[in-house]
Each structure stands twice: as structure tokens, then as C-alpha cells.
Amino acid sequence: MLIHPQINPVAFNLGPFEIHWYGIMYLFAFIGFLQLGKVQIKHRPWLSWNEQMLDDAFFYGAIGVILGGRLGYILFYQLQYYIHQPMEIMALWKGGMSFHGGFLGVIIAMFLLAKKYKISLFSILDFIAPLVPLGLAFGRIGNFINAELWGRPTQFLLGMIFPNVDNIPRHPSQLYESFFEGLILFLALWIYSKQKRKTGQISALFLMLYGAFRFLIEFTREPDQFLGLLFLNLSMGQWLSIPMIIVGIYLFKKS
């Protein structure tokens, strides 16, 4: 039987400051974004991007991810808690980031970037879509290290006991998400974007694949105790993923 390794969420200390693995995963995500972006600029000239645009996309996107991810988690998942515990809002090292909130934050940030450069929003989204999934993979590894967002009970051979929860084998759903929403999604988008595509198609593929992967993996993930399952016994993550799939299909057909 697999047992969660109970990794200390604090990687190391710098004097009075604690450096958390969760923060390091975000650092890896940001580095990966920049390095992959430089590869795209060099090998995909039809995208008409340069490193200044990449740096701006990184800056705008980082703000969008952090603010949107945190605000999304607060609004979609734990609004009542943070109303009564406002000082916890800034405690990012404890986790509590929503992908869907971060996604909306990035959309808004890229809209502002598109206005700055006077180019279409989807030309920007098509460029950054393949750069995002590896960051998602690192984020889910951070969730695994923190032993949060664990899975539902299972007898599957990959079932893992999370001692901070109980002694029942559970799906390591964080690792499923890291693999499918991260690695597999990255490979699909990276390969698909090797050739010139119609504007909006790469963004549409991201929406469809991420939404589908997230929707299916949510069946292995324990619903948040403060929310439980919602209408039709679907989780909040599933309900937030359905519009992504629908919009993705629409955009792909329209492109």
C-alpha cells in the first residue's frame, strides 16, 4: 500500500523566512514559461513575437495568475471563511489557488496586453497556451507535497494513504492532474502548435482538453468538505470546466 511521504511543505529557511515548496513550484512554472516562450520565438517565426512581448506577457500573466487564482478560490470556494478571516487572504503559502480564477485573471491580463500592442487577444492566447500546462503540472506537485486536494477512497492499485486525512487508501488525484492537465496537455498543445494554425484554434484546443481532463479527474478527487457535491452530484471544479469545453468547441469550429 502506498503512503504519502509527508514531505515538509517548508523546503528551507533563509534567516527568519520560510521558503515553501508551493512557492518553488510557482517559480519553476514561471521559468518554464519564459524558456518555452523563447523556443517558440526562435522556431515559430509565423507567430511574430519577440522577447519584449514575451517579457510583458510573463509580467501581465504572473499578476493575472496570482490575483485571479487567489480571488477565484475565495469567491468560488471559501467566500464565507475569508469574510471572517480576512488576514488569511494573503497566506498563499498555505495553498488555496483556483485554476479557473487564475485562468480568468490571465484572460483579463492578456486583454490588456493585446490593447497595448494593438493585436488580437487570441493571437496572444494562442502563443501562451502551450507555455501554461507545465506550470499546471508543477502546481499540482505542490498540492501533492502539501498533502492537499487528495482523492476519493479507492481500491485501485495506485491508492495512497494520506496520514493527515485518515488511514483509507485514496486516489493521488493531484498526481493524476499533474500528468494529464500538465504533461499530456503540454505535449498535445506543443505538437499541435508546431504548424501554423488558424487564430484561436490553439486556444480552443487548450480549453477543450483542459476542461475534459479536469472534468474526468474530478471523479477521483474528494469534493471540498465546505462545498461537497453540487447539482447532479458534480463538483465545483466540474461545473467550472463545462463552460471551458463548450467555449472551446465553439471557438474551434468558428476558427
Side-chain angles (χ1 to χ4, degrees):
M1 183 62 63
L2 299 175
I3 299 177
H4 185 273
Q6 296 289 280
I7 302 168
N8 188 340
V10 178
F12 57 90
N13 294 81
L14 286 177
F17 300 102
E18 293 182 338
I19 307 302
H20 289 245
W21 283 111
Y22 196 75
I24 292 175
M25 293 301 111
Y26 266 79
L27 178 62
F28 288 163
F30 292 149
I31 292 173
F33 180 95
L34 288 172
Q35 294 305 312
L36 290 172
K38 291 177 181 179
V39 172
Q40 286 203 137
I41 291 171
K42 182 177 180 180
H43 296 288
R44 300 171 189 183
W46 61 85
L47 295 172
S48 301
W49 270 63
N50 56 53
E51 292 201 12
Q52 181 59 54
M53 296 171 69
L54 175 63
D55 290 341
D56 284 347
F58 169 76
F59 177 73
Y60 280 63
I63 294 175
V65 165
I66 294 172
L67 293 182
R70 190 58 168 173
L71 290 174
Y73 181 78
I74 291 168
L75 293 174
F76 297 150
Y77 292 94
Q78 290 226 61
L79 180 59
Q80 291 299 318
Y81 173 80
Y82 287 102
I83 286 176
H84 293 95
Q85 301 289 338
M87 298 303 294
E88 290 288 306
I89 290 176
M90 301 304 296
L92 297 177
W93 56 88
K94 295 183 179 180
M97 297 287 282
S98 162
F99 165 81
H100 296 93
F103 174 76
L104 293 175
V106 168
I107 295 294
I108 294 171
M110 294 305 105
F111 174 79
L112 296 175
L113 188 65
K115 298 284 283 186
K116 175 180 178 178
Y117 283 101
K118 296 181 172 59
I119 57 179
S120 74
L121 172 62
F122 282 108
S123 67
I124 293 180
L125 296 179
D126 284 349
F127 180 86
I128 69 170
L131 315 182
V132 171
L134 286 185
L136 301 180
F138 285 125
R140 291 309 182 192
I141 291 173
N143 294 143
F144 180 76
I145 291 173
N146 284 352
E148 61 188 2
L149 307 183
W150 52 81
R152 303 184 191 188
T154 182
Q155 294 301 314
F156 184 50
L157 58 87
L158 292 181
M160 177 178 291
I161 291 176
F162 290 82
N164 61 305
V165 183
D166 51 33
N167 291 317
I168 300 173
R170 295 176 174 274
H171 286 288
S173 53
Q174 315 97 322
L175 300 183
Y176 301 166
E177 290 184 283
S178 181
F179 181 73
F180 286 101
E181 300 166 15
L183 180 60
I184 297 300
L185 181 58
F186 164 72
L187 291 174
L189 291 172
W190 192 256
I191 293 170
Y192 185 73
S193 62
K194 279 188 174 182
Q195 297 181 15
K196 187 176 181 179
R197 304 291 179 179
K198 294 180 179 179
T199 302
Q201 285 191 334
I202 298 173
S203 304
L205 186 63
F206 177 93
L207 290 170
M208 289 187 291
L209 290 181
Y210 178 88
F213 287 148
R214 178 67 182 270
F215 185 89
L216 294 173
I217 294 172
E218 282 281 322
F219 284 115
T220 71
R221 180 170 155 179
E222 184 74 16
D224 297 294
Q225 291 184 353
F226 46 85
L227 280 180
L229 295 175
L230 306 176
F231 183 62
L232 296 179
N233 283 329
L234 298 179
S235 67
M236 176 63 81
Q238 288 173 310
W239 280 113
L240 293 173
S241 296
I242 290 173
M244 295 183 69
I245 300 171
I246 295 173
V247 172
I249 294 172
Y250 172 78
L251 287 176
F252 197 85
K253 289 184 175 181
K254 185 180 178 181
S255 299

